[in-house]
Amino acid sequence: MDASPADELLDVVDEHDEVVGRLPRGEVYARGLRHRCVFVLARDPDDRIFVHRRTATKLAFPSLYDMFVGGVVGAGESYDAAALREAEEELGVRGLPRPEPVLTFLYDDGPGGRGSWWSRVYEVRCTSRVSPQPEEVAWHAFLTEAELTERLSEWPWVPDGLAAWERLRAAR
């Protein structure tokens, strides 16, 4: 029997991204403790971006749209290992090239939010046919950057993904 995502152990980190503890994800979320996340922008061979709507059962930001695949970094896991693992899991592919790190920032969900997390943004080229996990992805498509930009004001997006997108665009 699979363990619940809420039971997955995460490293709790400080404002300098140094590990200060280790707790189950459910407790980290409930207490709004700082942890680590990865965001991977996946492009197909035509340079289109993988966009998806999260399932209604996700612990964080259910049913919202995202232009990144990714998630939390497990306890003792590196950002790079988490980026590759999460990208392959969510896209439903194997043998992806190593995602390239682009930038790191501290995301803060604001008052009444889920807390803050260190966020590392990556990019990867996916040449395989995707088969996203039905537990993670309710809908998906590859959109051009112009199509994605057009939908930013039309669809409800995950706030941390939007923050990562804005920082990625500013860094280019």
Side-chain angles (χ1 to χ4, degrees):
M1 183 169 162
D2 289 335
S4 163
D7 297 330
E8 177 184 7
L9 286 180
L10 304 183
D11 287 330
V12 177
V13 296
D14 66 14
E15 66 276 9
H16 305 292
D17 199 16
E18 298 294 328
V19 176
V20 296
R22 185 172 282 178
L23 291 168
R25 182 197 302 210
E27 187 173 345
V28 169
Y29 283 11
R31 294 173 52 191
L33 299 174
R34 190 174 293 122
H35 54 286
R36 294 172 172 158
C37 289
V38 292
F39 298 81
V40 182
L41 191 79
R43 293 181 184 269
D44 72 3
D46 296 321
D47 213 34
R48 296 175 302 175
I49 299 166
F50 180 83
V51 175
H52 67 284
R53 186 170 48 83
R54 297 162 63 87
T55 58
T57 56
K58 294 287 285 180
L59 281 176
F61 310 123
S63 300
L64 297 184
Y65 288 86
D66 202 347
M67 66 285 287
F68 294 97
V69 294
V72 296
V73 178
E77 186 177 33
S78 71
Y79 280 105
D80 290 353
L84 181 59
R85 174 184 54 78
E86 288 282 354
E88 288 188 337
E89 283 177 7
E90 285 192 38
L91 294 170
V93 300
R94 290 287 170 255
L96 273 180
R98 180 183 304 272
E100 294 293 324
V102 180
L103 61 96
T104 302
F105 70 99
L106 178 60
Y107 176 78
D108 189 331
D109 204 23
R114 297 178 179 274
S116 69
W117 41 94
W118 279 101
S119 307
R120 188 155 303 160
V121 180
Y122 292 81
E123 291 195 50
V124 71
R125 180 82 51 194
C126 180
T127 58
S128 303
R129 179 182 166 99
V130 299
S131 180
Q133 286 182 306
E135 306 82 29
E136 303 270 343
V137 176
W139 169 91
H140 73 280
F142 280 94
L143 302 180
T144 65
E145 198 158 325
E147 291 169 329
L148 170 56
T149 300
E150 196 174 297
R151 287 174 181 73
L152 290 177
S153 63
E154 298 172 1
W155 294 349
W157 296 87
V158 296
D160 57 347
L162 269 179
W165 175 253
E166 290 165 1
R167 283 174 171 81
L168 182 61
R169 300 234 1 193
R172 286 187 181 153

